[in-house]
């Protein structure tokens, strides 16, 4: 199985601050990576697909990058509504796997 | 507009079979390339992929649940189903269904909470 390791597990950021979340795959996933945001009591929402493509309707302050086994999600200017838990997911090989999640809070 | 909604028993006892239904609209599981997946999330924890079913009836399961899972679909009624046999307290979670698009889940249902308790 491909293991997905996210870091950090939690972080807090001030309004306007740049936030970066990392996701490492246990083998090359050839950019087959998605990022999701989950707010309390809600289902996950797709933010980024193909490692760097922004899903329709997602604010442009979100961006994804990376290749091979190392990927990152960046929020260029932290907003109140960005609080939540962020997950990465690989869909290259079965079983599809998710990272453990990163909890982002407003400082 | 793509929507999905899960339904299930809410609560069941250990050793019983959990039956979940995903009713969707805005796409068809008879369309080439379409798929629906099931994912679960214990309270306060991470996401676990369970199973996928594709337009051509191809099916994939998480081997960690061994032979307990069965996924199926009713294309004419826009529904997908998941059965989990011999449940125990570790199966207590919110269960989501989601549309698959190129190796990811682009639309999710609201989730259904399932509690396994004696």
């Amino acid at each position: 199985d491909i293991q997905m390791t996210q870091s950090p597990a939690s972080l807090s950021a001030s309004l306007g601050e740049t936030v970066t979340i990392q996701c490492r795959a246990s083998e090359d996933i050839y950019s087959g990576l998605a990022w999701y945001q989950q707010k309390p009591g809600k289902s996950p929402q797709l933010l980024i697909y193909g490692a760097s493509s922004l899903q329709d309707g997602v604010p442009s302050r979100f961006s994804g990058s990376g290749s091979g086994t190392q990927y990152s999600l960046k929020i260029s200017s932290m907003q109140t509504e960005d609080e939540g838990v962020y997950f990465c997911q690989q869909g290259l090989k079965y079983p599809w796997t998710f990272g453990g999640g990163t909890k982002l809070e407003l400082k | 507009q793509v929507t999905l909604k899960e339904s299930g028993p809410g609560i069941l006892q250990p050793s019983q079979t959990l039956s979940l239904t995903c009713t969707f609209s805005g796409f068809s599981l008879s369309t080439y390339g379409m798929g629906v997946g099931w994912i679960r999330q214990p309270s306060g924890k991470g996401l676990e992929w369970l199973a996928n079913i594709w337009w051509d009836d191809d099916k994939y399961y998480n081997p960690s649940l061994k032979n307990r899972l069965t996924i199926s679909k009713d294309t004419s009624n826009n529904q997908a189903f998941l059965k989990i046999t011999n449940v125990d307290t570790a199966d207590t979670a919110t269960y989501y269904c989601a549309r698959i698009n190129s190796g990811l889940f682009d639309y999710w249902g609201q989730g259904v909470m399932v509690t396994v308790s004696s």
Side-chain angles (χ1 to χ4, degrees), chain A residues 20-35:
Chain A
T20 301
I21 298 169
Q22 308 284 348
C23 180
R24 185 183 78 245
S26 59
E27 62 184 83
D28 194 334
I29 57 171
Y30 301 97
S31 298
L33 183 96
W35 288 98

Side-chain angles (χ1 to χ4, degrees), chain A residues 1 34 36 38 42-46 48-50 55 87 89-92 94-100, chain B residues 39 41 45-49 52 54 60-63 96 100 102-111:
Chain A
D1 299 4
Y36 303 89
Q38 185 177 33
K42 300 293 187 182
S43 56
Q45 300 294 309
L46 177 66
I48 301 285
Y49 61 94
Q55 175 70 349
F87 296 94
Q89 177 247 326
Q90 68 82 20
L92 179 71
Y94 284 108
W96 290 6
T97 44
F98 291 87
Chain B
I39 307 100
Q41 183 175 39
K45 297 191 177 180
L47 300 165
E48 180 182 29
W49 170 75
N52 290 348
W54 295 91
Y60 295 87
Y61 297 102
N62 192 324
Y96 297 100
I100 299 169
S102 301
L104 53 86
F105 302 106
D106 61 350
Y107 291 92
W108 295 63
Q110 64 189 25

Side-chain angles (χ1 to χ4, degrees), chain A residues 10-69:
Chain A
S10 64
L11 75 159
S12 60
S14 304
L15 279 175
E17 185 177 344
T18 295
V19 173
T20 301
I21 298 169
Q22 308 284 348
C23 180
R24 185 183 78 245
S26 59
E27 62 184 83
D28 194 334
I29 57 171
Y30 301 97
S31 298
L33 183 96
W35 288 98
Y36 303 89
Q37 176 196 61
Q38 185 177 33
K39 297 186 179 180
K42 300 293 187 182
S43 56
Q45 300 294 309
L46 177 66
L47 297 175
I48 301 285
Y49 61 94
S52 60
S53 296
L54 198 65
Q55 175 70 349
D56 288 347
V58 175
S60 59
R61 64 180 178 273
F62 290 91
S63 64
S65 64
S67 62
T69 62

Side-chain angles (χ1 to χ4, degrees), chain B residues 5-103:
Chain B
K5 187 174 183 179
E6 307 86 350
S7 58
I11 187 166
L12 65 166
Q13 295 183 336
S15 81
Q16 289 186 320
T17 295
L18 170 60
S19 295
L20 298 167
T21 299
C22 175
T23 303
F24 55 86
S25 63
F27 68 99
S28 173
L29 258 181
S30 61
T31 301
Y32 178 89
M34 283 296 165
V36 167
W38 287 93
I39 307 100
R40 71 180 179 182
Q41 183 175 39
S43 180
K45 297 191 177 180
L47 300 165
E48 180 182 29
W49 170 75
L50 299 176
N52 290 348
I53 189 164
W54 295 91
W55 84 99
D56 59 356
D57 211 35
D58 223 358
K59 301 164 187 173
Y60 295 87
Y61 297 102
N62 192 324
S64 70
L65 279 85
K66 298 181 181 178
N67 298 318
R68 298 174 54 214
L69 300 178
T70 303
I71 193 169
S72 59
K73 61 182 172 68
D74 179 349
T75 303
S76 57
N77 287 308
N78 284 342
Q79 292 181 315
F81 310 97
L82 184 71
K83 290 187 188 296
I84 306 178
T85 60
N86 193 26
V87 298
D88 68 10
T89 55
D91 296 307
T92 294
T94 295
Y95 287 76
Y96 297 100
C97 64
R99 190 181 79 162
I100 299 169
N101 183 356
S102 301

